[in-house]
Amino acid sequence: MAVSRLIRPGEQRLVSFDEFRESVSDAFVPLEMTSADHDDFRGVVRGATVGAVRISEVTAAPHVIRRTPRTIRAANPDYFKLGLQVGGCCILAQDGREAALTPGDFAIYDTTRPYQLSFDDRFRMLVVMFPRHLLRVPPDGIAQLTARRVSGRQGLGAVVTPLLRGLGEQIADASPTVALHLGDAVLDLVAAAFAEQLHLADGPTPLSRGDELQARVTAFIDERLADRELDLQSIAAAHHISVRHLQKMFEAEGDTVSGWIRRRRLEQCRRDLADPRYRELTVSAIGARWGFADAAHFSRLFKATHGSTPGTYRAAATPLTETERRIR
């Protein structure tokens, strides 16, 4: 997916309640929205997509927005959203918790479960949306983090907040390669900030033996994604566990080992396809580079995951310059 340019502040067009409601659902996931004053409501959503990360800025009048069981049934993509409060205040509710966000604070929420955001006054919020599997925080940890306020004034929050605030302009002006790396940097910093939150309450808390093993296993897989011989037997043997134990560990999180490997390989392929440095490599060569020996199978998997063939994705993400088009 190409980097779409963020609208500059002077180019904003405030829209009515109905238009805004449609814009929000189109930019994110299907949502329900209510406002005490439809007639005077004004708001705008502007954003850019960088690889798998969607970064949007929302400015609007007071309203309440809900992700309900009905809207989840309508479309249930597997995403996390991070909301960074830039102006005004927000109450985020999910999983029986509420986070009161003031400017500089942020919190994470899960689109696969109901949530609510309440804005009592005019506000501005930066929203970062990305596939859940890209956030490298232990699954048990994520269950503790939704709808928990992270202060932008201390710890890693003080690093993440200014980065996200300035990211819109950086992405708008960046080359596709730089923008791609910015998106990856955001995910790494966000993961670090939430990992820090898991240990703040009572000082560092060791992971359980199961969590520690799973962290070692996923790191082992990531280091060997290019190895076509990577399979359940080699992973289990490297960690001195049975194949069945390995399978059950992933099944406990609603996943499979092969599914995890496939998604991580496809993510590496997506990054390479969006990187102009690899433009001279064919699509099939990039697939083979990350363990997909069958080009047709790779193309089908990529399209099922990203909505377009690898070639179409690359053309949108790294358009040729005028000089390159003339040469070709």
Side-chain angles (χ1 to χ4, degrees):
M1 208 175 287
V3 176
S4 54
R5 193 174 181 82
L6 279 179
I7 302 171
R8 303 297 187 185
E11 299 172 319
Q12 292 187 33
R13 183 178 74 86
L14 296 173
V15 299
S16 67
F17 176 83
D18 289 334
E19 291 175 298
F20 180 81
R21 180 173 55 190
E22 289 184 15
S23 296
V24 167
S25 289
D26 288 344
F28 305 118
V29 291
L31 296 162
E32 295 179 359
M33 177 175 157
T34 57
S35 172
D37 194 347
H38 286 204
D39 294 337
D40 291 332
F41 184 95
R42 291 293 182 270
V44 65
V45 181
R46 55 187 188 144
T49 299
V50 189
V53 180
R54 174 75 183 173
I55 301 173
S56 303
E57 185 180 81
V58 183
T59 304
H63 67 274
V64 175
I65 206 150
R66 297 179 180 89
R67 179 80 163 143
T68 63
R70 185 184 69 81
T71 56
I72 291 171
R73 287 194 299 273
N76 191 22
D78 213 9
Y79 284 110
F80 284 132
K81 292 167 74 175
L82 179 147
L84 167 65
Q85 202 68 27
V86 179
C89 299
C90 169
I91 302 293
L92 164 64
Q94 188 173 49
D95 298 330
R97 293 186 290 269
E98 289 190 350
L101 306 180
T102 58
D105 300 335
F106 59 90
I108 197 169
Y109 44 113
D110 185 341
T111 65
T112 66
R113 300 196 303 283
Y115 63 79
Q116 176 175 300
L117 294 124
S118 304
F119 305 96
D120 292 334
D121 206 345
R122 188 163 184 81
F123 72 93
R124 188 153 62 103
M125 174 178 268
L126 198 69
V127 180
V128 182
M129 186 170 76
F130 50 91
R132 285 162 35 112
H133 72 270
L134 294 183
L135 188 61
R136 297 188 186 183
V137 173
D140 288 349
I142 286 295
Q144 303 173 43
L145 291 174
T146 52
R148 289 196 185 278
R149 170 183 165 273
V150 180
S151 171
R153 290 168 285 280
Q154 60 188 28
L156 285 174
V159 178
V160 174
T161 291
L163 171 67
L164 292 181
R165 279 179 166 171
L167 196 58
E169 289 302 315
Q170 294 178 52
I171 286 178
D173 295 328
S175 68
T177 302
V178 172
L180 185 69
H181 289 304
L182 283 173
D184 292 342
V186 167
L187 290 177
D188 288 341
L189 268 176
V190 167
F194 282 113
E196 180 186 53
Q197 291 301 305
L198 292 175
H199 304 298
L200 285 182
D202 302 304
T205 303
L207 291 173
S208 69
R209 290 182 63 184
D211 285 342
E212 185 179 359
L213 175 60
Q214 184 153 16
R216 290 204 312 270
V217 167
T218 54
F220 178 89
I221 291 171
D222 274 356
E223 290 169 3
R224 293 162 178 79
L225 287 173
D227 182 0
R228 294 183 189 176
E229 302 302 317
L230 183 68
D231 59 14
L232 275 71
Q233 288 74 21
S234 62
I235 297 168
H239 294 85
H240 309 291
I241 58 176
S242 68
V243 169
R244 184 56 190 146
H245 185 172
L246 176 66
Q247 291 172 321
K248 288 177 69 175
M249 186 166 60
F250 279 78
E251 287 170 2
E253 305 299 335
D255 207 343
T256 64
V257 182
S258 58
W260 176 272
I261 295 172
R262 182 171 59 250
R263 286 196 303 275
R264 295 299 298 149
R265 283 176 167 166
L266 287 171
E267 175 59 19
Q268 294 298 329
C269 291
R270 181 195 64 74
R271 292 187 181 192
D272 285 359
L273 289 167
D275 192 333
R277 293 175 301 175
Y278 298 116
R279 189 177 284 161
E280 297 308 314
L281 285 180
T282 64
V283 165
S284 58
I286 285 177
R289 187 169 183 251
W290 293 107
F292 295 106
D294 185 326
H297 179 60
F298 166 54
S299 184
R300 287 194 298 272
L301 287 176
F302 192 92
K303 184 175 183 180
T305 301
H306 296 290
S308 63
T309 64
T312 301
Y313 182 92
R314 166 183 266 179
T318 59
L320 296 175
T321 64
E322 187 60 36
T323 301
E324 288 172 325
R325 279 196 293 270
R326 284 200 299 269
I327 292 174
R328 297 192 178 197

